[in-house]
Amino acid sequence: RWLRRHRWQASALAAGVASLAIGLGVALVHAAEASRQRDVALREQARLEAVQQAVFVMFGDASERGGREATAAAVLDGAARRIVEGYERDPAAGAPVLHALGELYFLVTDYAAAEPLLRRLAEADPRKVDPSLVAAGQYDLAQVRLRTGDAASAATLLAQAQAFWQTDASRWESRLVDSRLLQAQLLRQAGDGDGAITLLREALPRRIAISGAHHRETGVFHNNLGVALFAAGDLDGARSSFAAAREV
């Protein structure tokens, strides 16, 4: 009865409440996005500092070996020994630098040298080492294992890394999306080409939403999708994906 007598006031009140609820929802979404971007920035800063520290160690090792006379391989090997020693003394502080050097070996395709460094990280106690670094080590080691012919081990390590990222899927969404690249490679190697294509097609829009249409990582997704389509005999689809990759 009160609502019938005061329907205009009630309507205004309801509209005000709805407006506040919508505003709160938008604010929460923006706050969550700001928090995610801050976390990404902090992780990138920590990563750059770790790479910086690894480079300092390498230059120090090079100077001790005679500057220009030291070969790149000798410098890397000397740095690896010193970084491993630092990691064993203080795993929490040494883990980021260990990871940076392991990735460096991986990028120069020295998988034999990358493997023991990344294995130390992948097998580290998450109570003593940042769990996100342990997951990153597991993922990178999975890539090494795939490239050295151990797909079963790669699949196990990938699942371990993804399980950690799934504990906070919104925070680690970029890593989860990126992991679909390796997952698709494993599917293709297991003979499930259609599954690999479906996985990459589903993940690509999220990669674009996170990184942008012209980001390098988006280009990698286009390229890998093109490879999967080409292997499946879909030449038109492959051509389109490769053109998108080339544009990036």
Side-chain angles (χ1 to χ4, degrees):
R1 287 197 298 271
W2 186 90
L3 288 173
R4 279 199 295 271
R5 287 198 306 271
H6 302 89
R7 58 184 179 274
W8 297 114
Q9 295 95 320
S11 297
L13 179 61
V17 171
S19 177
L20 286 170
I22 292 170
L24 178 60
V26 171
L28 288 172
V29 169
H30 287 171
E33 176 62 18
S35 177
R36 187 186 70 81
Q37 291 179 358
R38 184 195 65 234
D39 287 345
V40 169
L42 288 172
R43 288 197 301 274
E44 185 61 22
Q45 180 182 354
R47 177 186 175 86
L48 289 173
E49 288 173 354
V51 172
Q52 205 172 46
Q53 184 62 32
V55 171
F56 289 157
V57 171
M58 283 185 276
F59 272 112
D61 194 70
S63 66
E64 290 177 8
R65 291 172 175 271
R68 294 181 182 178
E69 296 178 4
T71 65
V75 169
L76 275 173
D77 291 343
R81 284 191 295 274
R82 293 170 66 173
I83 287 171
V84 167
E85 289 169 1
Y87 170 77
E88 290 176 347
R89 286 194 302 272
D90 186 349
V97 188
L98 186 75
H99 183 227
L101 188 61
E103 282 196 324
L104 180 58
Y105 272 122
F106 175 78
L107 290 171
V108 298
T109 68
D110 189 345
Y111 304 133
E115 206 273 348
L117 300 178
L118 295 172
R119 178 162 36 83
R120 275 185 170 85
L121 192 58
E123 296 174 353
D125 186 344
R127 294 169 298 181
K128 297 180 179 179
V129 174
D130 182 348
S132 67
L133 273 175
V134 175
Q138 290 166 341
Y139 180 70
D140 288 343
L141 183 58
Q143 295 190 83
V144 169
R145 294 277 171 85
L146 177 63
R147 284 160 176 76
T148 53
D150 191 352
S153 175
T156 299
L157 288 160
L158 173 62
Q160 290 171 349
Q162 288 179 328
F164 169 77
W165 294 326
Q166 286 286 4
T167 60
D168 192 346
S170 60
R171 179 183 181 187
W172 302 109
E173 183 182 15
S174 183
R175 296 306 305 261
L176 281 167
V177 171
D178 191 50
S179 74
R180 304 308 178 198
L181 294 169
L182 178 56
Q183 190 175 345
Q185 288 179 298
L186 288 166
L187 285 172
R188 281 185 55 220
Q189 190 164 106
D192 187 4
D194 290 341
I197 291 169
T198 298
L199 186 68
L200 291 171
R201 279 179 167 160
E202 289 175 350
L204 178 57
R206 290 309 308 152
R207 181 77 276 164
I208 293 172
I210 294 168
S211 303
H214 296 94
H215 193 277
R216 177 186 176 279
E217 292 177 351
T218 302
V220 171
F221 256 86
H222 283 302
N223 185 75
N224 283 29
L225 178 57
V227 171
L229 290 167
F230 182 82
D234 184 353
L235 301 187
D236 289 337
R239 186 177 294 109
S240 176
S241 291
F242 287 137
R246 184 180 182 185
E247 181 184 353
V248 174

